[in-house]
Amino acid sequence: MTLTFDHHSCNCDIKTNAPANLSFTPAAQTTTVLNSKLNWLRAGVLGANDGIVSTAGIVMGVSGAAVDSHALFAAGVAGMVAGALSMAAGEYVSVSTQRDTEKAAVLAQRNFFRRDPYGAQQRLASLIAGRGISKPLAWKMSEELTKKDPVHALTQYEYGIDANDLTNPWHAAWASMISFVLGALIPFIAMIFSPSGWAIGLTVISVSVALAITGAVSAWLGGAPIKQATMRNIVWGNLAMWGTYGIGLLVAFF
C-alpha cells in the first residue's frame, strides 16, 4: 500500500517565498538510507550460508554416528525442509515488522504535513541543508518537492524511506527459503552421492568453497573487508561441521 498525500486535495497554505529572516539549523541525517532493492539479496546470501552450515552439520553429525545411508538421507532431507521453512518464516516476520515501522513513519509525516504544512516545509528544508546545500537553495528545493509529493519527500530525507516502495516481506521470505535449499544441497549431495571413503573429505572441501563465496558476497554487500569476512566464514563453518561430527562419533561410541 502506498501512503502518500494528495497535495491538490488539501487546502493547506504552503509558503512559496523564503522568509527574509529565514533561520533554521541544518539538520543532520540521523538514519542510514535504506536500500530495499538489496533486501532480497541480503536474505538470499544469509539463507544460503545458513543452509550450507546447518545441513553440513547435520550430515556430518549423522555420518559420524555411523548410521546407514537411508537414515543419513532422511536426516539430510528433514534438515533441509525444516531449515528452509524456518528461514522463510523468520524473514517474513522480521521484514513485516520493518515494513510496519516504515508505514508508521510515512503516516507520521503525512499527519505532520496536514497539521503544520509550513513547519513540515521548514523541516524538509533543514534536512536538505544538512546535506551541504545552501539555505536559500534548500528552501527552493523544499518548495519544489512539496508541490509534487510532500510526504514522499519528507520520508525520503528524514528516514531514507521510499513511500512508494516499502520493503516486501514476501520477497525476503522466498529469497531466504530458496537460497537455503540451494545452499543445503551442496553438503547434502557431497555426502550422499560421494563414495563412502571420499564423502567426508569432499563434503568439507565443497562446503569450504561455498562458504568462501557466501562470505565474500556478504562482505561485499556490507562494504566490509572481503578477505577477513571470507576466512571467518570458512573457519566457523568448519568448526560447526567438525563439532557435530565429533558429537556423532560420541553418540556412536556410547
Side-chain angles (χ1 to χ4, degrees), residues 10-249:
C10 177
N11 294 321
C12 306
D13 179 24
I14 300 296
K15 304 296 183 181
T16 57
N17 295 317
N21 59 345
L22 176 63
S23 104
F24 54 79
T25 302
Q29 191 175 6
T30 57
T31 57
T32 302
V33 176
L34 302 177
N35 194 345
S36 61
K37 301 296 184 182
L38 290 177
N39 187 62
W40 66 269
L41 185 56
R42 174 196 61 82
V45 171
L46 294 178
N49 198 73
D50 285 349
I52 294 166
V53 174
S54 62
T55 305
I58 290 173
V59 296
M60 289 283 286
V62 175
S63 176
V67 299
D68 59 70
S69 59
H70 293 291
L72 181 60
F73 182 87
V77 171
M80 279 196 293
V81 173
L85 293 177
S86 176
M87 287 293 296
E91 280 294 328
Y92 182 83
V93 171
S94 176
V95 178
S96 291
T97 301
Q98 179 182 340
R99 182 181 176 89
D100 291 341
T101 302
E102 292 173 349
K103 288 166 67 176
V106 174
L107 283 171
Q109 294 302 324
R110 182 176 68 178
N111 292 333
F112 178 29
F113 186 81
R114 281 177 169 170
R115 183 178 64 254
D116 184 10
Y118 183 61
Q121 184 175 340
Q122 281 190 312
R123 175 59 182 169
L124 178 58
S126 69
L127 290 167
I128 296 172
R131 298 189 176 187
I133 307 299
S134 65
K135 291 182 180 180
L137 181 56
W139 184 263
K140 183 63 177 177
M141 289 177 63
S142 71
E143 290 179 355
E144 296 297 323
L145 290 171
T146 51
K147 288 177 183 178
K148 183 178 180 181
D149 192 341
V151 174
H152 182 277
L154 281 167
T155 54
Q156 183 70 52
Y157 278 92
E158 184 81 56
Y159 303 114
I161 296 173
D162 186 347
N164 299 319
D165 187 23
L166 302 182
T167 53
N168 191 320
W170 285 108
H171 290 171
W174 280 108
S176 180
M177 182 176 68
I178 294 172
S179 63
F180 183 96
V181 173
L182 293 176
L185 285 173
I186 296 172
F188 180 77
I189 292 174
M191 179 64 74
I192 298 296
F193 297 102
S194 296
S196 58
W198 293 81
I200 293 177
L202 290 176
T203 300
V204 171
I205 293 173
S206 61
V207 166
S208 297
V209 172
L211 289 175
I213 294 173
T214 57
V217 172
S218 62
W220 175 74
L221 288 175
I226 293 178
K227 183 178 180 181
Q228 180 180 354
T230 301
M231 292 303 299
R232 180 171 59 239
N233 211 35
I234 294 173
V235 169
W236 283 102
N238 274 272
L239 286 175
M241 280 193 298
W242 288 110
T244 54
Y245 182 71
I247 293 173
L249 290 175

